[in-house]
Amino acid sequence: MTEKFIKNEQLNFIKTQITLIKDSVRKNLPPTVLAAVIDLANAKILDLIPNASLDQQKMLDLSKLKSDDEYEQYVQRLSDFLRPFPRVTEQQLKKMFPKNKKLKLPDLSQIDHSQLTYLSWNDLGSNKKFIVYELEGTMAGIECKLTPTSKKNICSFCNGFGEVAYFSTVTKAKKSKNPDYYKAIGNLICTDSSECNKKITNVEYLTTFLKDSLGM
């Protein structure tokens, strides 16, 4: 039995590649073109986890799959090897936000950690959003101001189109010549973080945002 080696966003990316292949099949593309689409998708999937073992590489390889049922079984098998989001306790979360004395926490027992890239929850009473993510091996959290929007738009984290909210945070960046200097960062992200976690395929922007916010 191989270890759990696939992250939530990586499985989401794999699903998008399978959707691309299925769409190409429905378009009745010439065999050579369809083969190229499958080869490219397979190469991108194998590149997701460069340190994968031979057994893991074989598991990721979809080049020989043909039917919808085979693709479905493929995704189901990979789901068994999802690496869950690290378990955090209420006490750990409180330590991440020490200045917030009235911190409202989510019900951790109701969260499916296997389908999380990042943990987030909204406190509508204070118009705040909290984000927790494993950054360079350490759990890190930021608190943001949340402003609802009336229009659908593109989420900065998952690049999906849907219900979004504007959220902003003040970074910890400092300038020695100006002790009062601060920099605010704002983004549009999914109002419902569980939906965002279902669509996110890349964490580059998420990690950059967190590092900028934390002054790393």
Side-chain angles (χ1 to χ4, degrees), residues 2-209:
T2 188
E3 63 181 332
K4 294 183 183 294
F5 67 102
I6 302 172
K7 296 180 180 179
N8 176 67
E9 67 273 10
Q10 293 171 332
L11 184 61
N12 289 342
F13 178 83
I14 291 170
K15 290 177 181 177
T16 64
Q17 295 305 302
I18 291 175
T19 298
L20 178 62
I21 292 173
K22 288 181 177 180
D23 287 344
S24 299
V25 170
R26 282 193 286 269
K27 292 176 181 177
N28 294 316
L29 298 177
T32 54
V33 176
L34 180 59
V37 170
I38 294 173
D39 286 345
L40 180 58
N42 198 53
K44 288 180 178 179
I45 290 171
L46 292 175
D47 284 345
L48 273 180
I49 309 173
N51 297 322
S53 67
L54 288 177
D55 285 343
Q56 291 167 347
Q57 290 176 30
K58 290 179 181 178
M59 192 183 302
L60 291 169
D61 188 347
L62 53 63
S63 61
K64 294 180 173 61
L65 304 181
K66 300 295 182 184
S67 67
D68 285 356
D69 284 345
E70 288 179 336
Y71 284 119
E72 186 175 337
Q73 292 168 10
Y74 168 82
V75 171
Q76 186 57 53
R77 175 161 172 73
L78 293 185
S79 297
D80 292 337
F81 295 92
L82 269 175
R83 188 162 67 190
F85 186 82
R87 295 279 175 177
V88 290
T89 65
E90 291 187 358
Q91 195 60 35
Q92 287 174 310
L93 291 177
K94 289 177 181 178
K95 286 183 178 180
M96 291 182 197
F97 307 102
K99 294 181 179 179
N100 193 318
K101 303 304 181 184
K102 297 182 179 180
L103 180 65
K104 290 186 178 180
L105 297 173
D107 185 350
L108 297 175
S109 66
Q110 299 299 313
I111 296 174
D112 184 355
H113 286 68
S114 67
Q115 296 183 339
L116 284 186
T117 290
Y118 67 94
L119 172 65
S120 180
W121 68 96
N122 301 336
D123 181 353
L124 299 180
S126 60
N127 292 323
K128 289 183 178 180
K129 188 177 190 72
F130 299 86
I131 296 175
V132 174
Y133 180 69
E134 187 177 21
L135 197 60
E136 297 181 350
T138 302
M139 299 303 291
I142 59 169
E143 177 181 322
C144 310
K145 182 179 179 182
L146 187 68
T147 306
T149 62
S150 58
K151 295 181 180 180
K152 292 184 177 181
N153 213 316
I154 302 295
C155 170
S156 298
F157 289 172
C158 71
N159 288 316
F161 183 78
E163 300 287 345
V164 296
Y166 181 79
F167 81 118
S168 60
T169 186
V170 175
T171 75
K172 294 183 178 180
K174 298 293 182 182
K175 287 189 175 181
S176 58
K177 294 182 180 180
N178 185 0
D180 295 325
Y181 169 85
Y182 73 91
K183 177 183 177 183
I185 305 176
N187 289 270
L188 290 172
I189 69 167
C190 290
T191 303
D192 186 343
S193 297
S194 63
E195 289 300 313
C196 189
N197 272 286
K198 293 176 183 177
K199 295 182 288 187
I200 188 169
T201 59
N202 187 300
V203 295
E204 183 176 352
Y205 186 85
L206 172 62
T207 55
T208 298
F209 171 78

